[in-house]
Amino acid sequence: DAGVIQSPRHEVTEMGQEVTLRCKPISGHDYLFWYRQTMMRGLELLIYFNNNVPIDDSGMPEDRFSAKMPNASFSTLKIQPSEPRDSAVYFCASSLRGADTEAFFGQGTRLTVV
Amino acid sequence: AQSVSQHNHHVILSEAASLELGCNYSYGGTVNLFWYVQYPGQHLQLLLKYFSGDPLVKGIKGFEAEFIKSKFSFNLRKPSVQWSDTAEYFCAVNAHRSYIPTFGRGTSLIVHP
């Protein structure tokens, strides 16, 4: 397996634009996590899915953020409208059984909102 | 809710020095514990993990960690660091009933050649 695949690797957008980040988890993994990493706040869990169902989205900062997982092999994180404070590295991770196994991370998407 | 505390935010060492990074967690039940490493510009990768059994866990690249249940600690150690160990190190905990991996703030390690 190629591991967790995220796209794009880098995204630069203007404030107010919609941004969509994409993630393909490892095949067979039934948990998917979206994290945001910043210097100020470290690694924050935004939302996670189990078997494509969102379980906990309490980490999503505000309504401008939304995430979907239409099938077992694809998830999106959307920011609409984007703001400069959303600039961060966004990681997607997947795991096989949640607490019982480690999470495998994608390469991340570095988002810059100008 | 579980939480993870990493005491050292920045550590600077010379090559061949010994390393110990502190990690404490707060959760009263059974946990799985992890250390991840993030090399500059890369994603997080697993260094080692503890699920059960021997509390002294050996990982890749000469790293080891010791789980001390009474202290709620899972400190990372390496007897002799190398320049290539320069990276960010994250401690993480999964509580058995929450399924959410919770990460510490991370420790930035710089090793001077």
Side-chain angles (χ1 to χ4, degrees):
Chain A
D1 201 308
V4 177
I5 299 173
Q6 291 185 247
S7 64
R9 291 291 308 278
H10 302 274
E11 176 80 37
V12 180
T13 191
E14 291 186 344
M15 182 174 62
Q17 296 298 308
E18 176 180 297
V19 175
T20 299
L21 311 181
R22 297 172 176 80
C23 175
K24 180 181 187 304
I26 292 173
S27 177
H29 283 191
D30 46 11
Y31 283 83
L32 184 141
F33 308 89
W34 281 101
Y35 287 89
R36 178 172 67 177
Q37 184 180 36
T38 60
M39 289 289 290
M40 292 296 293
R41 302 171 71 92
L43 201 61
E44 303 173 275
L45 178 67
L46 301 177
I47 184 172
Y48 81 97
F49 296 83
N50 177 215
N51 292 323
N52 314 338
V53 176
I55 303 300
D56 185 350
D57 65 354
S58 60
M60 297 284 259
E62 44 196 280
D63 292 345
R64 297 184 297 106
F65 286 70
S66 62
K68 294 181 179 179
M69 192 165 185
N71 56 62
S73 59
F74 184 66
S75 177
T76 59
L77 178 68
K78 185 178 293 186
I79 308 172
Q80 167 62 19
S82 58
E83 296 182 4
R85 61 194 167 117
D86 301 330
S87 298
V89 180
Y90 291 81
F91 287 103
C92 175
S94 69
S95 71
L96 188 54
R97 292 190 301 273
D100 290 345
T101 59
E102 69 266 30
F104 292 82
F105 282 76
Q107 295 280 350
T109 295
R110 180 173 296 278
L111 173 65
T112 304
V113 183
V114 297
Chain B
Q2 64 210 39
S3 66
V4 179
S5 175
Q6 291 184 239
H7 319 299
N8 318 99
H9 296 298
H10 301 279
V11 174
I12 301 174
L13 296 173
S14 298
E15 273 194 321
S18 64
L19 170 72
E20 180 160 3
L21 302 182
C23 173
N24 285 89
Y25 66 94
S26 64
Y27 182 75
T30 304
V31 293
N32 295 330
L33 297 159
F34 308 84
W35 276 97
Y36 288 82
V37 60
Q38 184 180 27
Y39 297 106
Q42 296 191 25
H43 63 292
L44 277 76
Q45 304 168 50
L46 184 71
L47 260 184
L48 49 79
K49 60 186 178 184
Y50 171 81
F51 285 175
S52 63
D54 189 344
L56 185 60
V57 180
K58 294 193 184 298
I60 60 172
K61 303 186 180 186
F63 286 92
E64 65 178 30
E66 184 176 13
F67 171 51
I68 303 178
K69 189 174 181 180
S70 61
K71 294 184 178 180
F72 298 90
S73 70
F74 190 56
N75 292 354
L76 181 70
R77 298 195 293 250
K78 185 171 184 178
S80 177
V81 295
Q82 301 173 310
W83 174 78
S84 58
D85 293 325
T86 293
E88 190 98 13
Y89 291 82
F90 293 90
C91 181
V93 58
N94 284 6
H96 274 203
R97 294 185 185 275
S98 78
Y99 298 102
I100 303 172
T102 301
F103 286 80
R105 284 294 307 274
T107 297
S108 172
L109 172 66
I110 296 175
V111 180
H112 289 299

